[in-house]
Amino acid sequence: MSRFWSKLAAGLSPYVPGEQPRGERLVKLNTNENPYPPAPGVLAAIAETSGSSLKRYPDPDSSELRAAFARREGLDAGQVFLGNGSDEVLAHAFQGLLKHDRPLAFPDISYSFYPVWSSLYDVPFTQVPLTSDFRVDVQAFPKDCGSIIVPNPNAPTGVLLGLDDIRQLLQAHADAVVVIDEAYIDFGGESATRLIPEYDNLLVVQTASKSRSLAGLRVGVAFGQEHLIEGLVRIKDSFNSYPMDVVSQQAMLASLADEQWFQDCCTRVIQTRERTAASMATLGFEVLPSAANFLFASHPQVAARDLFARLRERQIIVRYFDKTRISEFLRISIGTDEEMDALLGALEDILP
Ligand SMILES: *Cc1c(COP(=O)(O)O)cnc(C)c1O
């Protein structure tokens, strides 16, 4: 606490990201990064971004990159918005689209950044309980909410909603913006982007951080009808006109150009996830069905907090949330097969 802080700064409870420890020997399964490298073209594009392009400001509208995203989704460039990581895109959505007199609704167990942005931007919110088996119940969203945000698949559970459920949500709340945060959609879900022409209240947010192995590059994207995108652009241009640097724009173009690499990495992660889930079930874990690049699991005999600590002693880092309803679960990112074998070996060792 400093006497120089504004009342706003003093009153915040900022989001705490998973730790990023340095050290070679660690098996790092705590922040849902991709274990595989980005497409080779990405590295080439970064190397080729020359001094002469760095001395100039980037294209503030990222026109070329927006066009490339639009082509991939069968949308228009005017239906695409880019930001410095999807966290920035989401933050702009909180300010530009989700803040109304009536409360924003989101699941009680979901991305823990949502309450943080709500508090930063003074957005009234209400939390909708997941079912006892940790599913998002689209019927449970209050009729009179002012806006909605749902991660799909949900985080940190990994549980997927089908497009039928998303349609129901969009139809039942036709006067509320519905943001679907698809940070993990490429690991087995069907994207809601194809509903965009039908629904004027749908914004879909995605990221290059997880499925494209580019967490370090910071590229996030939103898809929606033009009027929603314009709402985001108004916030962006009142905050930072150049969120996408020259290197990110070129590198992301190269990632989009190599669809095969992207699909192959996703397939490998999915295969490793399924194998790991099956082995953990054999060890007695309750593992929620995951459509993401992580597993959310609980063991009936050993407290999650203890498991977390004992894995850590063995240089394996997973994520533990000390929060009601999920304090008996661990969130385990999917690494390489070797990393998951190290995890399974350690669990076998630790469990009674
Ligand atoms: C990781 C994550 C994000 C943010 O990703 P960026 O790295 O900022 O693009 C957003 N939403 C959810 C649910 C996430 O798990």
Side-chain angles (χ1 to χ4, degrees):
M1 181 70 186
S2 156
R3 68 193 166 90
F4 295 109
W5 289 359
S6 69
K7 209 181 271 177
L8 173 68
L12 294 175
S13 315
Y15 176 77
V16 184
E19 54 181 324
Q20 296 289 356
R22 308 286 149 193
E24 292 298 295
R25 288 177 44 251
L26 288 173
V27 177
K28 189 173 174 303
L29 306 175
N30 68 328
T31 50
N32 299 341
E33 290 143 329
N34 200 304
Y36 303 113
V42 170
L43 306 184
I46 291 171
E48 283 160 18
T49 308
S50 72
S52 58
S53 57
L54 284 176
K55 76 181 182 191
R56 301 282 185 212
Y57 279 107
D59 169 12
D61 304 319
S62 309
S63 307
E64 200 184 346
L65 184 53
R66 280 168 57 213
F69 268 111
R71 261 196 310 281
R72 187 171 187 272
E73 301 297 331
L75 297 169
D76 294 332
Q79 299 175 318
V80 180
F81 177 84
L82 292 167
N84 188 244
S86 63
D87 282 344
E88 184 180 271
V89 175
L90 289 164
H92 288 350
F94 269 67
Q95 261 193 316
L97 300 172
L98 299 176
K99 180 176 177 171
H100 298 285
D101 295 337
R102 287 175 293 137
L104 163 67
F106 52 83
D108 63 340
I109 298 163
S110 73
Y111 191 29
S112 42
F113 226 135
Y114 300 160
V116 174
W117 286 313
S118 297
S119 138
L120 175 62
Y121 296 129
D122 212 7
V123 180
F125 69 94
T126 178
Q127 288 176 292
V128 181
L130 297 188
T131 61
S132 57
D133 57 349
F134 294 96
R135 281 177 305 107
V136 172
D137 179 2
V138 291
Q139 313 280 2
F141 282 75
K143 284 264 163 304
D144 61 344
C145 61
S147 56
I148 290 174
I149 184 164
V150 179
N152 194 41
N154 196 8
T157 62
V159 178
L160 181 75
L161 272 183
L163 284 193
D164 288 351
D165 280 319
I166 303 223
R167 271 181 195 281
Q168 269 194 45
L169 203 58
L170 289 161
Q171 273 156 18
H173 302 274
D175 292 322
V177 173
V178 176
V179 174
I180 306 296
D181 179 358
E182 293 188 344
Y184 303 102
I185 198 67
D186 300 319
F187 299 107
E190 198 179 350
S191 174
T193 48
R194 70 163 150 107
L195 304 182
I196 285 169
E198 278 175 76
Y199 295 96
D200 66 0
N201 58 334
L202 169 63
L203 189 82
V204 178
V205 177
Q206 297 181 356
T207 173
S209 296
K210 278 71 182 233
S211 57
R212 289 185 180 270
S213 310
L214 291 171
L217 199 68
R218 313 305 302 135
V219 177
V221 57
F223 303 100
Q225 291 187 11
E226 284 83 350
H227 62 106
L228 296 181
I229 300 305
E230 279 167 30
L232 295 174
V233 171
R234 291 174 72 88
I235 301 288
K236 163 195 166 279
D237 287 340
S238 307
F239 176 79
N240 176 4
S241 316
Y242 306 102
M244 304 296 300
D245 61 77
V246 170
V247 179
S248 300
Q249 296 191 41
Q250 291 309 314
M252 189 66 218
L253 279 167
S255 174
L256 289 173
D258 197 340
E259 183 70 22
Q260 193 61 49
W261 181 279
F262 164 67
Q263 295 293 346
D264 289 349
C265 288
C266 291
T267 303
R268 283 165 83 181
V269 169
I270 292 167
Q271 283 168 353
T272 305
R273 176 187 75 209
E274 294 307 305
R275 179 179 77 80
T276 307
S279 304
M280 287 181 66
T282 308
L283 292 173
F285 280 92
E286 179 202 346
V287 186
L288 297 189
S290 172
N293 67 339
F294 56 83
L295 294 169
F296 203 54
S298 166
H299 198 280
Q301 270 121 39
V302 189
R305 182 195 293 279
D306 293 343
L307 271 179
F308 170 82
R310 298 182 63 185
L311 285 171
R312 177 115 221 191
E313 285 165 10
R314 290 166 169 77
Q315 323 291 332
I316 299 174
I317 308 190
V318 299
R319 193 92 195 257
Y320 173 70
F321 299 94
D322 191 4
K323 286 196 200 157
T324 46
R325 287 194 80 185
I326 56 169
S327 59
E328 279 315 320
F329 282 82
L330 293 179
R331 193 195 69 188
I332 302 169
S333 308
I334 301 301
T336 61
D337 279 309
E338 297 70 47
E339 287 173 320
M340 300 325 275
D341 286 340
L343 169 86
L344 291 166
L347 288 173
E348 248 173 83
D349 246 23
I350 294 166
L351 290 170

